[in-house]
Amino acid sequence: MGTEYRQLRQLMAQSGKTVAVTGAGVSYLYGMRRLKQSVGRMNAGRIFTASYVRKNPEKFYDVMRDAFLDATFVKGPSAVHKQLAQLEKQGRIYGIVTQNLDCLHTVAGSENVVEFQGSFRDNVCVDCGSRCYDYRVWNQGHMPRCEKCGAPLMPTSFCMDCKVRDSVCKENMERAADMISEADLVIVIGTTGFRSDEYLSRMKPDARLVQVNPSVTEFDAIADLNIRADAAEVFDAVLNG
């Protein structure tokens, strides 16, 4: 095991509470498509509205399936998602903050997950506004429907014209920042820093930051340790080194 991997193991051993922060790289490297690819020439601002989904539920479902659902329910979690879930079960990671909407951390078995952009775990009915907190409704091969009125559901954070969207997004970020504020060690994985100022500003002054990313990012200048390697390799060494 390399020196950097040993340093990471030591930091994790010394930490009373370690939080992992994951970004798009954790999903895109393992088959997730970029949303813009799935939307294509369609107007994203129009698609992500209750009015559009009400009229075109299956078209919306096709975009979600192409962008997220096939990767989540067909291909399934990557080695990194599973490794982080194992580390949480071992008590070596307290929880995960992620910008990803795909629920892959939950599918992999992680329990303490905060998705600060929302996810398929939180859905809203486009007609009556009822909420459904279950990502599995998207694993039926067709557009999920509200149990109360039968209208289509859509992820709450995607619904640009839903009344609750702004408050939900604010609440999600506050939960993420709260988790970060309790951490002695923060490990950022596969993210370039999307909205990081909103949660890193809550880090304790003496908390340590480790970055696991083959690419250069905005975390380079502030990380106590930069590991330029594939995350699956890194966490395999952490688990088995």
Side-chain angles (χ1 to χ4, degrees), residues 16-17 64 89 117 140 148 162 164 168-169 195 226 241:
K17 186 171 288 187
M64 295 297 98
K89 285 182 173 64
Q117 290 201 101
Q140 305 174 92
K148 291 186 177 180
C162 289
V164 295
V168 168
C169 291
R195 296 183 67 183
N226 283 299

Side-chain angles (χ1 to χ4, degrees), residues 11 25 30 33-34 89 102 108 125 134 145 148 208:
L11 286 170
Y30 297 97
R33 283 170 61 83
R34 295 184 184 276
K89 285 182 173 64
D102 49 41
C125 174
D134 188 351
R145 297 276 173 170
K148 291 186 177 180
R208 310 292 293 274

Side-chain angles (χ1 to χ4, degrees), residues 23-59:
V26 172
S27 294
Y28 290 149
L29 291 176
Y30 297 97
M32 189 70 66
R33 283 170 61 83
R34 295 184 184 276
L35 184 57
K36 289 182 179 179
Q37 291 176 292
S38 300
V39 171
R41 296 183 178 181
M42 293 184 285
N43 187 320
R46 184 167 62 91
I47 291 172
F48 298 117
T49 62
S51 56
Y52 179 87
V53 172
R54 193 178 295 115
K55 296 176 183 177
N56 307 279
E58 295 309 319
K59 287 184 179 180

